[in-house]
């Protein structure tokens, strides 16, 4: 099959890590008989340097025309880079927010995978993690409290602030469908997280999730209150497959889930819109402190490329091959600096990409 992929290399370590992900994709193409047509697009600091703005209309238009976009990280050193002397709406991060909005991305997928080989990075006890865990937080991205009406008033000399949390059933239904579709590609369990004992928006959330669940009889659905979920993530993360939740709960839970894996250089992510289109990027930033040194861990970006294969192209076997290759190099004892431990072999960004590509 042939696929059109937009490539946003980004800033600082961005080009280094995206090059390694493309190396792995090229190996997948060769091995499984696909063709990936790449087009480089500029975003963030690189776009400011070239065009004076962090995102151009042309970049957005081209990104929309692709089957998917793979991105490194954008931004620079926020204290020394001239990009941060610009007004807030002209800085690198403004481009990131604008492209997510412009592409209509409403679902954010963040896997939290703890590999047995990297157990020492996990702050949880051995008896809790066992041979590792693998869960996915599916967060609604464009509704809820962060997008509701807000105001601050003074009433009788007392300052008072309001934020409103609203969801309509269509917003809930489309993210729920993504959650169940994702579970169908995994271990077929959805934990829908809400605060239905208090919030009306959560009670509607629960109703709509139950309606959608009827179309997925193979998937086990459970409901969990958000406070319990925050606790269960550190007590027994193995119980989760897909955690489906609204914007603010997902913001907090996805950070908690990824941080219990302990390794920032391993965390992939995806943001998806209607249909199969997605923007795939590592969860970490552009790491200006190690840029250009061949020190960055490319695995988060490589695993993001694997998510692209699975969720945008339905190439499950190919995605499995990439994930298995990552596990294999970890088993071989190869490590970049961020995941290094005693007795393992320290290698650079390029060598990590080579080793993973060689295992496919
Ligand atoms: P960061 O994630 O870039 O770095 C935090 C620490 O983790 C640093 O010590 C860095 O060296 C290390 N690190 C990060 N990724 C690594 C990797 N792949 N391999 C090895 N080590 C890695 O966060 P920061 O320093 O707060 O932000 C730096 C820049 O990145 C800022 O401009 C920020 O706005 C931007 N940023 C971009 C995104 C994005 O593109 N989505 C996300 C977060 C931050």
């Amino acid at each position: 099959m042939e696929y059109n992929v937009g490539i946003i290399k980004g800033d600082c370590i961005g080009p280094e890590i995206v090059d390694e992900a493309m190396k792995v994709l090229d190996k997948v193409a060769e091995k499984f008989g696909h063709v990936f047509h790449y087009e480089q697009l500029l975003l963030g600091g690189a776009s400011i340097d070239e065009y004076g703005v962090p995102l151009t209309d042309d970049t957005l238009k081209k990104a929309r025309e692709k089957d998917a976009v793979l991105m490194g990280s954008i931004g620079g050193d926020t204290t020394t880079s001239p990009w941060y002397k610009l007004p807030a709406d002209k800085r690198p991060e403004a481009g990131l927010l604008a492209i997510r909005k412009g592409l209509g991305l409403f679902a954010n997928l963040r896997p939290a995978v703890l590999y047995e080989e990297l157990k020492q990075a996990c702050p949880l006890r051995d008896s809790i993690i066992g041979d590792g865990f693998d869960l996915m937080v599916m967060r609604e991205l464009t509704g809820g409290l962060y997008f509701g009406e807000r105001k601050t008033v003074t009433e009788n000399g007392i300052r008072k602030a309001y934020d409103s949390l609203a969801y309509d059933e269509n917003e809930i239904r489309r993210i729920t469908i993504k959650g169940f579709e994702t579970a169908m590609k995994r271990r077929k369990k959805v934990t829908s997280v809400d605060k239905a004992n208090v919030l009306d928006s959560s009670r509607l959330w629960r109703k709509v999730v139950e309606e959608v669940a009827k179309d997925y009889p193979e998937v086990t659905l459970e409901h969990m209150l958000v406070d319990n979920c925050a606790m269960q993530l550190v007590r027994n993360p193995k119980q989760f497959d897909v955690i489906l939740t609204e914007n603010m709960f997902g913001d907090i839970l996805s950070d908690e889930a990824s941080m219990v894996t302990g390794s920032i250089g391993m965390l992939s992510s995806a943001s998806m819109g209607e249909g199969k289109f997605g923007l795939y990027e590592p969860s970490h930033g552009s790491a200006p402190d190690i840029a250009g040194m061949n020190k960055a861990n490319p695995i988060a970006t490589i695993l993001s490329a694997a998510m692209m294969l699975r969720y945008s192209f339905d190439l499950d076997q190919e995605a499995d091959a990439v994930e298995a290759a990552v596990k294999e190099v970890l088993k071989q004892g190869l490590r970049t600096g961020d995941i290094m431990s005693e007795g393992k072999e320290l290698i650079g960004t390029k060598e990590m990409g080579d080793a993973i590509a060689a295992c496919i």
Side-chain angles (χ1 to χ4, degrees):
M1 291 284 287
E2 298 196 17
Y3 301 94
N4 292 310
V5 182
I7 296 283
I8 298 173
K9 291 197 174 182
D11 307 314
C12 300
I13 62 166
E16 296 172 74
I17 54 181
V18 172
D19 282 349
E20 299 317 305
M22 290 169 74
K23 191 185 278 175
V24 172
L25 283 175
D26 287 342
K27 188 66 189 291
V28 168
E30 183 195 318
K31 188 96 186 204
F32 291 87
H34 302 301
V35 180
F36 297 119
H37 300 288
Y38 302 120
E39 186 177 6
Q40 309 271 346
L41 305 171
L42 293 183
L43 181 76
S47 176
I48 295 172
D49 290 348
E50 185 73 23
Y51 305 114
V53 288
L55 173 68
T56 62
D57 292 344
D58 186 51
T59 294
L60 182 58
K61 179 174 169 287
K62 284 181 173 149
R64 276 202 193 109
E65 289 162 3
K66 305 295 172 207
D67 297 315
V69 175
L70 178 67
M71 186 167 94
S73 26
I74 59 124
D77 186 318
T78 48
T79 48
T80 59
S81 165
W83 299 327
Y84 296 92
K85 306 262 181 305
L86 296 168
D89 64 334
K90 295 278 182 323
R91 291 181 191 173
E93 288 71 14
L96 195 56
L97 295 179
I99 199 168
R100 286 183 181 144
K101 187 159 183 259
L103 294 173
L105 307 173
F106 62 83
N108 182 242
L109 289 74
R110 276 188 40 195
V113 182
L114 181 67
Y115 298 95
E116 199 175 358
E117 292 77 14
L118 299 179
K119 260 186 353 193
Q120 81 288 340
C122 176
L124 304 180
R125 276 199 309 273
D126 256 14
S127 59
I128 295 174
I129 44 186
D131 58 358
F133 54 83
D134 177 353
L135 64 92
M136 172 83 80
V137 180
M138 168 76 65
R139 165 189 172 193
E140 202 289 326
L141 210 52
T142 56
L145 197 62
Y146 298 168
F147 291 88
E149 268 178 52
R150 68 189 87 250
K151 63 177 178 182
T152 304
V153 295
T154 301
E155 287 171 1
N156 303 324
I158 308 282
R159 284 172 297 162
K160 192 168 180 177
Y162 297 84
D163 295 284
S164 51
L165 164 47
Y167 270 108
D168 72 40
E169 59 178 308
N170 294 332
E171 290 172 303
I172 302 171
R173 191 170 296 110
R174 65 181 185 176
I175 182 83
T176 303
I177 291 170
K178 288 270 181 222
F180 276 84
E181 291 289 332
T182 303
M184 286 296 287
K185 285 178 173 279
R186 295 174 48 96
R187 301 192 305 281
K188 300 191 172 61
K189 180 178 173 189
V190 168
T191 304
S192 173
V193 173
D194 60 37
K195 190 72 184 167
N197 53 343
V198 179
L199 301 176
D200 259 18
S201 57
S202 282
R203 286 190 273 269
L204 179 63
W205 181 277
R206 216 174 252 221
K207 271 192 198 126
V208 176
V209 168
E210 277 174 5
E211 286 162 16
V212 172
K214 292 194 182 106
D215 295 333
Y216 297 88
E218 286 171 66
V219 177
T220 306
L221 168 67
E222 67 175 11
H223 299 284
M224 191 176 277
L225 296 176
V226 61
D227 39 350
N228 186 25
C229 183
M231 190 167 70
Q232 293 299 331
L233 273 170
V234 291
R235 264 180 92 170
N236 180 16
K238 276 172 176 298
Q239 70 185 288
F240 296 111
D241 179 17
V242 174
I243 292 176
L244 168 68
T245 193
E246 60 95 73
N247 202 345
M248 181 179 61
F249 298 159
D251 187 10
I252 299 165
L253 294 175
S254 59
D255 265 14
E256 184 191 2
S258 58
M259 282 306 116
V260 294
T261 70
S263 310
I264 195 168
M266 303 288 297
L267 301 171
S268 54
S269 83
S271 300
M272 302 195 69
E274 299 290 355
K276 291 281 176 187
F277 182 87
L279 174 75
Y280 298 84
E281 56 176 318
S283 294
H284 58 71
S286 60
D289 52 332
I290 54 167
M293 297 178 181
N294 196 37
K295 282 185 175 172
N297 186 349
I299 294 180
T301 316
I302 291 169
L303 290 173
S304 302
M307 290 183 79
M308 175 175 82
L309 297 174
R310 194 182 302 284
Y311 296 109
S312 281
F313 305 160
D314 278 325
L315 299 176
D316 289 359
Q317 212 188 337
E318 289 80 345
D320 288 346
V322 175
E323 289 169 5
V326 168
K327 279 193 185 129
E328 179 55 31
V329 298
L330 294 176
K331 208 175 277 170
Q332 289 170 5
L334 304 177
R335 301 282 189 273
T336 45
D338 57 312
I339 51 171
M340 184 60 188
S341 60
E342 219 184 304
K344 305 298 177 196
E345 185 184 343
L346 181 65
I347 59 171
T349 311
K350 283 199 176 74
E351 294 70 29
M352 184 57 92
D354 288 342
I356 293 169
C359 286
I360 287 174

